[in-house]
Every structure is written in structure tokens, then in C-alpha cells.
Amino acid sequence: MAVLHGVSQPECLLCSSNGPDVHERGRIIPLSADLCDRCWNKVANELAVCEGATAAPDPEFGPDDLEWVEPRTCRQCHAPVRCYPTNYDRWVELATFELPAKKVPPGHRWRLMRPRAANTPIPVATVAIRIGAIDPTPGEPVIPAHEFVCRKQGG
């Protein structure tokens, strides 16, 4: 009976484990692979390091919090940055402006997507997606990763 118990549950693509924590991962663009929590965290962390999405998330505030919150700034150059979650639940700091794609190296090009709730036109979040599969046209606006435009990165 123990063998039949796991048959109805999805199997992790990487470690072949079965369980309630195995399911399809990714926001907006599903990764179309069933992964367990442990394998998902490993894959997402490796992808985050590759893409530069290693920022800490913004603190969460409750509805009764009344303290003032300053806009986020870069710890190195003190320029304002925007921090967004990625498709794989990690966070990236982006510049506050757009540039034409021809001025931003491919590894630093990001776009913001606004997923909508089911059966409604109302966006429920903003998610950063790194542009990688299809190159944008040279004049198409993209949002550069802050590390690309940071004034302190070069020296």
C-alpha cells in the first residue's frame, strides 16, 4: 500500500520525491516543471545569483503601522532604486528609469509584468522578468538592473 500512496502525487523532476510540496513553480511564466521545496529553492537561488536578483525584499507592514518609510536607495551610490520580486520569488533592484535596449547589456535588461487575478482585469502584483529568450529591438525601452547603472560599481 505504501507504494501506491505516492502514485497519485506529482513527482519532483530533480530528486524524484513525491509529496504535497511538489508542484509547478514560477509566477506569470510557470517553469513547467514540478519541483519540491528543497529543489525549487536550490534552482531559484542559482538562477538569482546568475541574474543578479540577490536583493533583500522590502519589509512587510501591517495595516496599523504608522511609521514613515523612506524610499529605497542603493547602499553604495545612494541613488533611488526600485525593488521587485522576480518570476522565481527572489528580489532584484532595478533603476528608476528606462533606457533603449541597445544601451543595456543583455544580462541587465528587465521588464515589469502585472499579473491579473483570475477572471478579473485587476492587476494583483508587479513582477520583474529578465529579458532573455527574445532580444528586444534596439530602440525598445527596458529597465536596467541597478548594478549596471550604479555609479560606484566601476570604482
Side-chain angles (χ1 to χ4, degrees), residues 45-141:
N45 288 341
E46 289 173 3
L47 188 56
V49 169
C50 259
E51 293 188 344
T54 57
D58 287 330
E60 297 214 8
F61 298 100
D64 297 330
D65 290 336
L66 298 175
E67 70 182 75
W68 180 259
V69 179
E70 291 291 331
R72 192 174 192 146
T73 58
C74 173
R75 284 178 255 124
Q76 295 179 353
C77 71
H78 305 291
V81 295
R82 296 186 293 178
C83 191
Y84 290 103
T86 63
N87 181 42
Y88 45 91
D89 297 325
R90 301 304 181 263
W91 293 74
V92 63
E93 288 184 344
L94 301 178
T96 58
F97 52 86
E98 293 179 338
L99 288 174
K102 65 183 175 185
K103 293 187 177 188
V104 181
H108 297 282
R109 296 174 183 162
W110 291 81
R111 190 168 280 135
L112 297 178
M113 304 294 284
R114 307 230 4 174
R116 303 189 188 295
N119 301 320
T120 180
I122 300 170
V124 294
T126 302
V127 177
I129 306 288
R130 193 175 74 75
I131 303 170
I134 300 173
D135 286 337
T137 60
E140 191 174 344

Side-chain angles (χ1 to χ4, degrees), residues 11-65:
E11 182 177 307
C12 177
L13 181 69
L14 297 178
C15 70
S16 299
S17 67
N18 296 71
D21 68 331
V22 177
H23 55 86
E24 190 173 63
R25 306 297 179 135
R27 297 184 195 195
I28 298 180
I29 305 168
L31 297 179
S32 61
D34 291 332
L35 298 172
C36 66
D37 288 342
R38 188 174 58 89
C39 292
W40 166 247
N41 283 322
K42 182 180 178 197
V43 168
N45 288 341
E46 289 173 3
L47 188 56
V49 169
C50 259
E51 293 188 344
T54 57
D58 287 330
E60 297 214 8
F61 298 100
D64 297 330
D65 290 336

